[in-house]
Amino acid sequence: MKNEIITALRKIGAAPADILLPAPGIDLRKWAVVACDQFTSQKEYWKSVEEETAGVPTTDSLIFPECYLEDGDRAERIVRINRAMEDYLEKGVFTEYKQCFILVERTTESGSRFGLMAALDLDKYSYAPDSKTPVRATEGTILSRIPPRKEIRKNAPLELPHIMVLISDAERRIIEPLRDRRSSLHKVYDTDLMKNGGHIRGYLVDDESDLKGVLEGFEALVAGLNPDNPLLFAMGDGNHSLATAKSIWEDVKAGLSEEERENHPARWALVELENIFDEALLFEPIHRVFFSLSKQAFEDKLKDTAKGFTKEKATDLEDIKERINTPGQHFGYIDGSSYEVYTMEEPKSSTAAGTLQSVIDAVLSDKLAEIDYIHGMDVTEELGKKPGNIGIILPEVSKETFFESILRDRAFPRKTFSIGHANEKRYYLEARKIR
């Protein structure tokens, strides 16, 4: 019966996996480091991680922090990473848990959120803009970012995931039943995370009844999908990492028989599934700043995105925030002399981020200004008020309409949202063999 449940889960696309965890006695606080795509402009952060983890088993030896991608030693660094992976496997650094999920409990300043470590079927994923696969991107995939990441993964014996994938489980039938009975599950890790990463606990999910409950929850979700556009899994974080795994799988499977493709480990990618309705899962909008652009030039481009627009004066940043998060399509505008709220009339895009992306594309095409994507309203305000600049404040991303927006618009523009602060991103704990 258990094998039948696992087979059914594999057909859905989210299956138990053979998951590697650090063996007993390893210092988990030094083992786990934050996702490699964080602190990309702060090499000092990663230098301090190296110092803190020197001489002990650590995932810092197994990943490629992206702040180093443009350095001249990429090939040498990749060789060191692969050698460290092989060394850890040979020396018994890992304990393997067969055919399981792991329930993840992560406590940060945003609260305690829960996820489920699972293997995701890359044959059910596409990052193409017009994709209608069950697993798909939520933001535009930058194809030029894939090749350097393929170099890192293609000869690696292990994957360590920082990928977070969202499910829209409003009835809370998949992860939350496990959360509610986690005291009866076997705890496989429990540790503080370095550098203000909070605390994390992991619970083994391999009992037949628990796997059946997960399957029934997924079956209920699948039953509610449009069979012509069956979005079941939407990328939260790590889209380019999953796209890299997909690209490599396409390379690998070209040389395999149909039977070999069914069970090849490269067909699957280990991810953390999270319910978009988890109260502690925070979506933060990413704002925009135009450098050296006049208000008139901005509005000239904005006119092409909708039937029209109106604008009203605002008193300050808090006034903007309150007014743009109301029904309708709005965004905040800040320059050296004013705070305003723009409201779009019959916009071509269903989101303010989409409308602004059209403006950005037009501005860049005409080489009128430079653009940056900013985390935090205060920084956007500070930059927007400098002479010649414009700061754009985007509204919050609605959890209730998130999946609906992907179905309607295919994907959000790049840099639309972030899930939590940098220190709240995934820390590497689990691994899986991919060769």
Side-chain angles (χ1 to χ4, degrees):
M1 181 64 179
K2 185 175 180 179
N3 288 338
E4 293 174 5
I5 294 170
I6 292 173
T7 298
L9 285 164
R10 288 172 66 90
K11 288 181 179 179
I12 288 171
D18 296 340
I19 297 177
L20 299 170
L21 289 174
I26 289 176
D27 184 343
L28 296 182
R29 190 179 182 281
K30 293 185 178 182
W31 170 262
V33 304
V34 78
C36 65
D37 60 349
Q38 300 303 304
F39 303 102
T40 54
S41 298
Q42 296 169 262
K43 285 187 177 179
E44 64 275 13
Y45 175 92
W46 289 101
K47 292 292 185 185
S48 68
V49 170
E50 291 172 24
E51 292 170 1
E52 187 167 341
T53 59
V56 299
T58 174
T59 53
D60 187 53
S61 299
L62 309 179
I63 65 162
F64 197 130
E66 294 192 1
C67 67
Y68 300 124
L69 272 177
E70 301 306 318
D71 289 1
D73 66 342
R74 183 192 298 173
E76 294 85 351
R77 186 179 286 270
I78 291 172
V79 169
R80 289 199 303 271
I81 290 169
N82 290 342
R83 187 180 298 127
M85 288 181 176
E86 292 164 357
D87 190 52
Y88 282 13
L89 286 168
E90 291 173 4
K91 293 184 176 179
V93 169
F94 292 105
T95 297
E96 187 171 45
Y97 295 84
K98 292 284 191 180
Q99 291 295 287
C100 68
F101 297 118
I102 292 179
L103 176 70
V104 178
E105 178 184 6
R106 174 86 178 275
T107 301
T108 68
E109 59 191 25
S110 302
S112 292
R113 70 175 192 255
F114 292 82
L116 194 67
M117 298 303 300
L120 206 62
D121 187 354
L122 294 170
D123 269 347
K124 296 183 182 297
Y125 164 60
S126 171
Y127 49 81
D130 58 351
S131 168
K132 291 188 177 181
T133 51
V135 187
R136 67 187 79 163
T138 53
E139 294 184 344
T141 302
I142 304 169
L143 298 183
S144 62
R145 295 185 66 185
I146 296 176
R149 289 157 181 79
K150 285 183 72 172
E151 289 181 40
I152 299 167
R153 186 180 174 97
K154 67 180 180 180
N155 293 318
L158 299 174
E159 65 173 355
L160 290 93
H162 69 259
I163 300 165
M164 290 168 53
V165 176
L166 303 172
I167 58 174
S168 182
D169 185 12
E171 300 299 321
R172 296 167 171 80
R173 291 170 288 203
I174 296 172
I175 297 174
E176 286 75 9
L178 297 170
R179 173 201 66 187
D180 293 343
R181 60 178 301 272
R182 64 189 182 280
S183 61
S184 64
L185 300 175
H186 173 57
K187 191 185 297 181
V188 288
Y189 55 75
D190 186 350
T191 184
D192 288 331
L193 296 170
M194 68 168 66
K195 298 193 176 295
N196 197 33
H199 194 93
I200 193 165
R201 297 180 179 90
Y203 306 87
L204 186 66
V205 179
D206 63 352
D207 182 78
E208 180 178 313
S209 62
D210 288 328
L211 297 181
K212 183 179 179 182
V214 171
L215 173 61
E216 290 172 347
F218 273 119
E219 288 176 335
L221 282 189
V222 170
L225 299 179
N226 176 355
D228 296 323
N229 195 2
L231 174 59
L232 183 58
F233 304 100
M235 291 303 303
D237 274 339
N239 179 59
H240 288 90
S241 291
L242 194 65
T244 299
K246 170 70 171 181
S247 182
I248 287 180
W249 168 235
E250 292 299 320
D251 294 343
V252 169
K253 80 174 183 179
L256 301 177
S257 67
E258 285 297 324
E259 183 178 354
E260 289 170 329
R261 292 177 183 182
E262 282 297 313
N263 297 302
H264 197 283
R267 174 175 171 171
W268 301 82
L270 193 61
V271 305
E272 181 177 347
L273 302 176
E274 296 198 355
N275 186 5
I276 197 170
F277 293 103
D278 189 316
E279 291 80 1
L281 190 65
L282 299 185
F283 278 47
E284 296 185 348
I286 301 175
H287 310 293
R288 280 81 169 121
V289 173
F290 293 84
F291 297 91
S292 302
L293 184 70
S294 71
K295 188 174 187 178
Q296 185 61 56
F298 173 79
E299 292 187 346
D300 286 345
K301 300 301 183 185
L302 188 64
K303 289 175 183 176
D304 296 332
T305 69
K307 181 179 180 180
F309 61 84
T310 60
K311 53 186 178 180
E312 297 180 346
K313 294 289 184 183
T315 55
D316 55 23
L317 193 58
E318 283 302 314
D319 187 28
I320 284 177
K321 181 180 178 180
E322 182 176 342
R323 290 162 62 179
I324 64 175
N325 289 299
T326 57
Q329 189 178 120
H330 319 280
F331 61 85
Y333 174 100
I334 300 169
D335 63 19
S337 60
S338 66
Y339 293 85
E340 294 180 88
V341 171
Y342 282 64
T343 298
M344 306 307 296
E345 299 174 356
E346 298 183 27
K348 296 176 182 178
S349 173
S350 66
T351 65
T355 294
L356 267 298
Q357 190 60 46
S358 296
V359 174
I360 289 171
D361 291 343
V363 166
L364 292 177
S365 177
D366 292 346
K367 299 181 180 179
L368 297 177
E370 294 184 354
I371 314 294
D372 200 2
Y373 300 86
I374 307 297
H375 294 258
M377 291 195 303
D378 292 343
V379 178
T380 307
E381 177 187 31
E382 178 185 343
L383 293 172
K385 291 174 74 173
K386 291 185 176 181
N389 292 355
I390 294 171
I392 300 297
I393 304 295
L394 289 180
E396 297 171 357
V397 177
S398 169
K399 291 184 177 184
E400 285 71 20
T401 61
F402 183 88
F403 273 65
E404 179 184 330
S405 294
I406 299 300
L407 289 169
R408 183 173 58 246
D409 294 342
R410 304 292 171 89
F412 290 105
R414 64 183 297 258
K415 301 288 187 180
T416 296
F417 66 92
S418 175
I419 299 179
H421 305 297
N423 61 309
E424 295 180 335
K425 301 298 185 180
R426 277 215 97 239
Y427 276 60
Y428 300 106
L429 257 163
E430 304 85 358
R432 188 180 72 93
K433 296 176 185 176
I434 55 174
R435 292 172 64 84

